[in-house]
Every structure is written in structure tokens, then in C-alpha cells.
Amino acid sequence: MNLKTILEKLEVPDDAENVGERSMWTNADLAPVPHDRRTWTAWNYVAYWIADCLNVNTWMIAGSLIATGMTWWQALISVAVGYGICAVVLVLNGISGAEYHVGFPVICRSSFGLAGSFIPVLNRVIMACVWYGVQAWIGGECVYQMLRAIAPSIDNVPNTFPDSSGTTTKAFIGFIVFWFVSLFAIWVPVDRIRHLFTVKSILLPIAAFSLFIWSIVRAHGLGPIISQPATFTSSDQAAWAIINGITGCMGNMAALIINTPDFTRYARKPSDIYYSQLVTMPVGFFITSFIGVVVTSSAQYIYGEAIWDPLQLLEKIDSRPAVFFIALAFALATLATNLCANSIPAGADMSALLPRYINIRRGGYVCAIIGICITPWKLLSGASNFLNFLSAYAVFLGPICGVMVVDYFLVKRRHLIVQDLYNPDGIYWYTWGINWRGYAGYIGGIAPNLPGFIGAMGYEVPIGATRLYSFAWILGFLVGGIIYYVCNLLFPCKWIIEERRKEVRYDVEDKPGARANDPTREQRLSNPPSDWSVHDSEKSAERNE
């Protein structure tokens, strides 16, 4: 068997009817979602965010903020503002996916060019793989609590790991069990994942509120943390701590905001993604953080110490059935969050990098393997390190999101030629496959935050750089978007402007001539007929000048 035959056998199967001719730019997972797979309604997005916000990470974020010196209400204000801003940007970035039914790596080609999209997509892949490992480790802790509730003797398992490893044998057992179970979940198609969120949205609130009520009853109130004063020495210090807290929350969502088109592409109609996310997301994260504060405050009264990690709190609860149920709920939460926030985006992005050989499912498995290699247990070593980890990489993601939002709403004016997002001879090839305007915004958005990013890595930098870095994600988003818009004003793409003026939106069943401002706009798809050409040879020549 020669190499060519082996490579042919490794190719992913394609839906020829949906994808057409095989190329290096598309496969079945990258193609626009067909009608029968657009199954997500507004309630599915509500269930998604109810389930996603009730996780161990969110539970601990307020605690991490209080550990920096905040009062409980200052921490909750930071959470509310941070996730409120995230909700607005997330919906804006998801509209393109809901209207054209294509995911982040394909939408990204409109802003950066077909070849230029590789770097932003690779950025998202890196973040997804890192977060997959972190969430898998947290999921392993949930599994360990479940095993401990079933067989308490697991606590007596001897530790064979050295102290320098940062973990123990019994903890690693839980991690490996969770990791293997996740491999089965990765096999499920994306459009069917919504059922898992429905289950999560029922079980998780029951588990969280049960723990909430139990803690209040046992503590005969809300506990001492509610009355604990801030430890700041000045109002200036308090203000910057709150700003850093907001940035930390936004950094926590930076990766998910980027790839939100990967899920909004499955919406039945664009309006399904609006209020279902604008309201549910920030309210859900706020309530989860509040429950985390109250439960921890009560734990300090009951056990004499503030236990911010709910999984550590389970170790002190005597009821084994209660421990098993709550740990199971958190394990399901972590599993579903890891799928939709990490393995599915990583799979979609890897698919865009190598569509002939990788689809979402295969990419998810690659992500799972990388998740072990990054030793995630070392990333969760303390409150300060946790916040640094949340916010640091957001420096590189904010400008990408800024460029994409400005490109879709202000430059392209919500008008894309979907066929050309897969065509190297189309209008999104720009110059040698790269839209330099997108990279000007991307690099320009990163530049102001680089000194502060270096400081966050432990090096000494001026205080001004540190202050500026406090606005890392939002600063990168705004600066990147503004630079990109100015570049398009000064150096417009004439061939794209000409296509935009046509204001044509296509459906597989539509005929050319359907206008974008048609009253039935929400029902229109964006798959242009395969025999329709959106440009001629003269435009192609002009594009490459």
C-alpha cells in the first residue's frame, strides 16, 4: 500500500450533495448547515446558558475576586458587569452564524482572507485545547467525589505520584475516568448536543439550590463573608481591583465569544439567539456566583474555613447520596461545557486548517489528547494564578473579535457571498489569500496590551502598562475594530463594495434577486446556487493587483 492510498483512506467522508467538489477549503462540517439540522430554538439557547453558567469555574470566580480583597457585593458587581458586556458582544458576533449558518472558521475568512484566517483560527485552537484540559481536570474531581460516595475506601489508595507532580493517584483516577467518558460524548453530532443541555438545565439548578438551601439552614443565615469588609487600603486600589475582576470575567468568556457562530449556525432563525442569550447569560452567571458566595460564607461558619471550591466542600458533607447527586450534576455540567466550549470549537477550527483529513469529531479527539499533555492540574494552583490564566490569553482574542464584528456590521453590512468563503478564486481571497486590513486591526489591537501581558507573566514593567492591561480584552476589541474600520475607509476593497451594493442574499431554493431587506429575511439562508458566479475574470484580476 503506497502513501497516496493511505492518505486517501484517511480522508474524512463528505456529503457530496452539501459540499460539492472536495477541496482544501471545505468539508461536510464546514459547509453551511442544511435545513434539517437547524434545530436550535430560543429555548435551547436558554438551556445552554443555564447549564453553562452553573459550573465549578463560575462558582469559584467570585471567590477568587474576594481573595484579592473585595467584599462580596464588589465581586458580584464585577461578575455582573463583565458577563453583561460579554453577552452583548457574544450576540453581535453570533448574528453572522445565525443568518448565514456557517461557523467561526468560515466567517473569519471574510475578515482575514481565506489563507489569512489560519492564524486567528489557530489562536482559538490553542485556547480550546488549554481549556479542555482544565475542564477535564475539574470534571475528574467531580468523578472522584462520585467514586468516593460509592466507595469511601478510594481515599486509602496509595499515592504513586511524586510531590512535584502537583497531583495524586486518586485524583488522577477521576481525571482519567472523566477523560474516557468524554471520548464517547465527542462522537455525538453537534446539532444533537442540545438535548444534553436540556438535561443539564434541569439537574444543575436542583443540585445548586439544594446546596444553597442546605448551607443557609446549617449556618442559620448567610455566614460571615457577607459582612466581611474589603481589605483595600484606598479607593484607587479598590477601583483597579474591580476593573481587573471585570477583565478576568471577560477573559473567561473570550474564547467562547470568538466561536459563538459555531453554535448560532444551528439556529432555526436569527431572532432565536437574541434575548435568549442577552438575558440568560449574565443573569445565570450572577446567580451562580451569588450561590457560590453564600455557600462558601456558610461553610466558613460551619467548618471554620472558607471553601470556595464546591468539590472540596463535598468532602466535608456526611450524606453520601447527596454528595453523589451533586457531584454527578457538576460532572454533567463540566462534560457539556467542555464539549461546546472546547472540543467542538477545536474540532471545527482544526477542520478549517486541514479539511481533507479532519472534521469536528476527529478534531475533538485531537483536542482531548492535547488536554492531557498540558498538565492542567498545574494551571489551577491558586486564586491569583487562576485570574491570570483567565485574562492573559484574552489579549490575543479581543482584536480578532473586534475585527470580525466591525467587518460584518460596518464593512460588509451583513452581506456575505457564502460561496466565495470556500473559493480561492472568490472575492475573499484579497491579496495572496490575506486581507492585510484584518491583520492591521489584529496586530494593532494586541500592541497596547503587550507590555502589560509581559508584566502578567512575571516580568517588571511600568505601572502604566499594568493599568492599561487591566482593560486587556475590551481595549483589544475596540482598538482592533477601529483600526480595521479606518483601514477600510482609507483603502476600500472595490470588488467587495460592488458585491455588497447588490444586497443579494441567497437560499438553496431561492432565485437570484432576493433582497437582504426583504420581510422574510430571517427565513432566508445564504447558500448561493452552485452554478451562480459572483464575480468575473476582470474582478479577479483587479483583486490580485
Side-chain angles (χ1 to χ4, degrees), residues 86-126:
C86 287
V88 173
V89 181
L90 180 136
V91 169
L92 288 175
N93 197 42
I95 289 175
S96 57
E99 292 184 338
Y100 286 95
H101 305 285
V102 292
F104 158 69
V106 176
I107 292 290
C108 191
R109 295 171 180 175
S110 168
S111 306
F112 293 91
L114 269 73
S117 66
F118 287 169
I119 297 299
V121 167
L122 185 60
N123 267 271
R124 181 62 182 96
V125 168
I126 293 172

Side-chain angles (χ1 to χ4, degrees), residues 40-50 194 197-198 201 272 276 280:
W40 285 50
T41 66
W43 289 111
N44 291 127
Y45 290 102
V46 169
Y48 172 85
W49 285 112
I50 290 175
R194 71 187 193 281
F197 290 117
T198 301
S201 66
D272 284 338
S276 59
T280 309

